Amino acid sequence: MHAAMSHSVDPIGYLHSCFKEKFAIPRQPQLAPAARGVLELVAPYDRAEAIQGLEQVSHVWLLFLFHQALEDKPRLKVRPPRLGGNASLGVFASRATHRPNGIGQSVVKLERVEPGRLWLSGIDLLDGTPVLDIKPYVPYADSVAEARNAIADAAPARVTVAWEQSALQQAQEHGLRLNEPLPELIEQCLAQDPRPAYQIPQPERRYGVLLWDVQVRWHYPEPGRILVLEVVPG
Ligand code: SAM
């Protein structure tokens, strides 16, 4: 018999991320290498001892709370966006955000580390995400050469992203100001096609998302092709 056990956890830090809203965040890490953020550690983990040795590691696992998707009612089935939002799947067969205990995990690239701060890229986390733990990625144990997943067997298909000339220039200028690879970030995120799969994109419909402090607007001149219209202060 098991004894009912409950255990409380406290964040070790909070993420400052390029993603200010859930819309248009890639569905997994590594899909947008230009997606960057800084993990700010809180006391006592902001001291040098806590990260000693971490500079020898290229990637880390983040365990975090889906703080914008927490719910009380247990869910056994989810409708992953990947399956078009219609088909459902057991919660444990999916990495959907609505899940028991609301815990997410992502492998991200560690660009730089200093006491109290980790610079990360390839993230799929919302701004303000509470992080519960950091663990070094261990290639010999964490990468499984023969692993298969027939539900998600390859990265999602990408759509073509084209730019209005003026929008590309705006993205370059804001990128310089922010010291961030902004045109790349926009292309990598939009190539994932953030639009809900059940919507047929009408050419007249405009979509938008806030990345860092800029609003990116685009439309679909035809299905499967995105045209970035403008990149303006958000
Ligand atoms: N790689 C993680 C995992 O497998 O546990 C996350 C996968 S989940 C499918 C990725 C989505 O979570 C993103 O597209 C974003 O919309 C959402 N998300 C990211 N951070 C979140 C947060 N703090 N609260 C709620 N949703 C979040």
Side-chain angles (χ1 to χ4, degrees):
M1 272 304 283
H2 61 273
M5 194 191 116
S6 128
H7 178 71
S8 74
V9 293
D10 294 306
I12 52 95
Y14 294 86
L15 188 73
H16 292 290
S17 159
C18 54
F19 298 119
K20 308 300 177 187
E21 50 185 293
K22 283 188 257 179
F23 187 53
I25 304 183
R27 299 204 175 116
Q28 288 302 335
Q30 311 299 324
L31 295 171
R36 309 206 301 181
V38 181
L39 174 52
E40 302 262 4
L41 301 175
V42 296
Y45 307 107
D46 56 349
R47 305 226 311 257
E49 294 99 295
I51 52 139
Q52 200 204 321
L54 196 54
E55 73 289 344
Q56 300 171 70
V57 165
S58 71
H59 292 73
V60 292
W61 285 103
L62 298 182
L63 296 173
F64 58 94
L65 268 188
F66 288 119
H67 73 307
Q68 295 288 323
L70 297 175
E71 42 183 39
D72 301 328
K73 203 169 156 287
R75 238 184 232 247
L76 304 186
K77 301 209 97 181
V78 293
R79 293 175 189 278
R82 166 119 191 178
L83 302 181
N86 296 317
S88 68
L89 210 57
V91 66
F92 299 128
S94 151
R95 285 168 63 165
T97 58
H98 293 282
R99 57 192 316 109
N101 299 310
I103 293 178
Q105 61 170 73
S106 295
V107 175
V108 299
K109 185 163 185 224
L110 181 59
E111 299 279 353
R112 188 153 71 89
V113 56
E114 71 177 36
R117 276 202 188 106
L118 274 63
W119 278 264
L120 306 169
S121 68
I123 60 175
D124 60 345
L125 282 74
L126 191 60
D127 192 46
T129 295
V131 175
L132 303 176
D133 202 358
I134 304 162
K135 301 193 192 198
Y137 184 81
V138 179
Y140 79 80
D142 293 349
S143 122
V144 182
E146 75 273 20
R148 294 288 172 268
N149 181 337
I151 301 160
D153 60 347
R158 289 164 182 259
V159 301
T160 312
V161 179
W163 295 81
E164 287 283 13
Q165 194 50 44
S166 53
L168 182 55
Q169 199 181 334
Q170 290 165 340
Q172 286 162 342
E173 285 168 11
H174 285 292
L176 284 174
R177 174 182 59 81
L178 293 161
N179 193 24
E180 286 294 335
L182 188 62
E184 292 82 355
L185 176 64
I186 294 170
E187 280 191 14
Q188 292 165 8
C189 293
L190 296 192
Q192 306 293 318
D193 198 358
R195 176 187 54 85
Y198 53 81
Q199 271 179 22
I200 316 245
Q202 304 300 325
E204 58 280 4
R205 175 154 182 175
R206 264 49 176 163
Y207 294 80
V209 72
L210 190 66
L211 294 174
W212 295 113
D213 61 359
V214 295
Q215 187 72 29
V216 181
R217 295 208 175 85
W218 71 93
H219 82 136
Y220 296 79
E222 64 252 18
R225 204 169 82 86
I226 281 176
L227 181 65
V228 186
L229 298 169
E230 60 175 9
V231 179
V232 293

